[in-house]
Amino acid sequence: MPLPAADPAPAVPPLGEHLRSPELRSAMLVQQEALHAARTYLREQGFTELLPPLVGPVTDPGGRGAKALDVDYYGRPYKLMTSAILYKQASLRGFPRMFYIAPNVRVEPAETAGTGRHLVEFHQIDVEMAGASREDVQQIAAGLLRRVVAHVWQQVPEELTRLGRRAEDFAGLLAGGFGRRTHAEAVERLSELGHRQSPDAEIDWAGERLLSLAADRPFFIDDYPKGSRGFYDREDPERPGVLRNFDLIADGGFGELVSGSERESQYAALVTRMRESGENPAKYAWYLDLAREGLPASAGFGMGVQRLVRFLTGLDALWQVSAYPKLPGVIAP
């Protein structure tokens, strides 16, 4: 089966023209309702919203070639947050169920500008839950997505239909259970579709899109291989080399909406995983000090706000659902 080509990303218009576009206005009204529904749902589930940090001595080391931006913090080299995952774990000492709606800055490789799925600046709904399993937070993520979709259709259906979305586009999602497969099963399925995917790496973007196009509702991919994700994703104690993590993939070609996992929380395990991934534990002194004192076992996830809004609106690219888009490799105000 030939691999479908990625949709070309339309050229971004000048900022003033973009801000006046009817598509952006519809997308921002959808985003407003989506964030309202997300906050309401998470508070009903007992979560407390905190404001995220913007800079710190270290940040999520990231992956797929993305880099952090450096900041001079009173003569010390700090980082803009690519993800607040380390702070989420730390926050559980006082807030057993917490969430951020967090800005993130990742200097993505310039070649990702044409995927329609990457921005340098974006936001995540970041959720963390003490004492939780992967299955616990998958249930929260699925409930959150269903609530957001139902609420947006109830509050601003005219904006969605103006953009070409139909209620039947979300029928599978709202009907109930999501699909599920392991990373190994996803690799096998991609092989059947004629797409070569490494069994030791994350599903690449082209493969993810293939799986997404073949689905009629969102689905989870579990059990990514060790080494494909950050040091904070917990290794399955009964299956060495397999992580207790997941992605939630939207149907219709929209790809990953959520990435999450159970967390490594033990000091010795974290130091070992850092070294295995090529990280210097000394950079993470404040975080490891907390781990030595005792971080709660937990699980959590991040749901991309712009990816969520793109899925809701059906627009072609993330820049169309961002008021101030910054595409990788493109200089923009």
Side-chain angles (χ1 to χ4, degrees):
M1 176 179 177
L3 178 66
D7 294 331
V12 180
L15 184 58
E17 180 182 337
H18 175 60
L19 289 169
R20 292 193 299 270
S21 72
E23 291 82 9
L24 179 66
R25 177 171 176 78
S26 291
M28 293 301 93
L29 292 173
V30 168
Q31 177 179 278
Q32 176 175 260
E33 294 300 334
L35 291 176
H36 173 75
R39 283 188 164 101
T40 300
Y41 174 81
L42 289 169
R43 290 182 65 180
E44 288 174 357
Q45 300 301 314
F47 289 85
T48 300
E49 181 176 5
L50 303 181
L51 295 177
L54 302 180
V55 300
V58 290
T59 184
D60 180 349
R64 292 187 173 181
K67 298 179 180 178
L69 281 176
D70 295 325
V71 176
D72 183 336
Y73 189 74
Y74 299 104
R76 292 178 177 269
Y78 268 41
K79 303 286 186 183
L80 286 179
M81 287 295 110
T82 63
S83 164
I85 170 60
L86 306 182
Y87 292 90
K88 286 200 300 179
Q89 283 186 274
S91 298
L92 295 176
R93 290 165 63 98
F95 303 90
R97 291 188 173 206
M98 57 76 58
F99 73 99
Y100 302 133
I101 296 180
N104 295 269
V105 177
R106 295 181 189 175
V107 184
E108 300 278 2
E111 59 268 22
T112 64
T115 66
R117 301 176 59 250
H118 295 86
L119 293 171
V120 174
E121 294 181 346
F122 63 98
H123 293 75
Q124 287 195 144
I125 303 169
D126 261 322
V127 176
E128 200 73 16
M129 185 174 172
S133 67
R134 174 176 64 189
E135 290 71 26
D136 292 331
V137 293
Q138 285 179 325
Q139 185 175 355
I140 294 291
L144 173 59
L145 182 57
R146 281 194 292 265
R147 171 67 71 86
V148 167
V149 169
H151 176 85
V152 169
W153 268 106
Q154 181 180 36
Q155 295 300 315
V156 286
E158 69 284 357
E159 304 300 338
L160 297 176
T161 55
R162 184 177 294 124
L163 294 170
R165 287 303 242 174
R166 306 166 302 164
E168 49 264 40
D169 294 332
F170 303 95
L173 184 157
L174 294 173
F178 293 177
R180 185 182 302 275
R181 55 169 48 115
T182 65
H183 179 275
E185 290 168 343
V187 170
E188 182 179 357
R189 177 59 179 152
L190 286 172
S191 178
E192 294 170 357
L193 295 173
H195 180 71
R196 183 174 297 177
Q197 167 65 50
S198 168
D200 301 316
E202 285 196 275
I203 305 297
D204 62 36
W205 295 309
E208 186 180 289
R209 185 168 182 266
L210 265 177
L211 295 172
S212 177
L213 284 168
D216 66 351
R217 67 190 64 200
F219 62 94
F220 291 105
I221 299 179
D222 295 340
D223 299 343
Y224 281 75
K226 184 180 177 181
S228 67
R229 292 289 174 89
F231 60 77
Y232 40 76
D233 281 14
R234 180 171 177 257
E235 187 173 8
D236 192 321
E238 298 180 0
R239 295 181 297 162
V242 176
L243 300 175
R244 290 279 298 165
N245 64 358
F246 68 94
D247 281 349
L248 177 57
I249 309 297
D251 53 301
F254 291 94
E256 177 203 320
L257 293 181
V258 174
S259 187
S261 74
E262 294 178 11
R263 311 301 188 190
E264 293 284 6
S265 58
Q266 298 299 311
Y267 173 83
L270 284 166
V271 171
T272 298
R273 290 288 302 283
M274 286 177 183
R275 289 174 174 156
E276 288 175 345
S277 63
E279 289 293 316
N280 178 5
K283 295 193 310 181
Y284 298 87
W286 73 268
Y287 171 73
L288 290 174
D289 285 346
L290 288 177
R292 190 184 288 110
E293 295 171 11
L295 287 173
S298 69
F301 62 85
M303 177 181 285
V305 172
Q306 284 79 14
R307 289 186 178 185
L308 172 62
V309 176
R310 183 190 170 211
F311 173 60
L312 289 164
T313 60
L315 288 168
D316 293 326
L318 289 190
W319 71 261
Q320 294 172 292
V321 298
S322 174
Y324 316 104
K326 289 183 174 61
L327 280 171
V330 179
I331 304 301

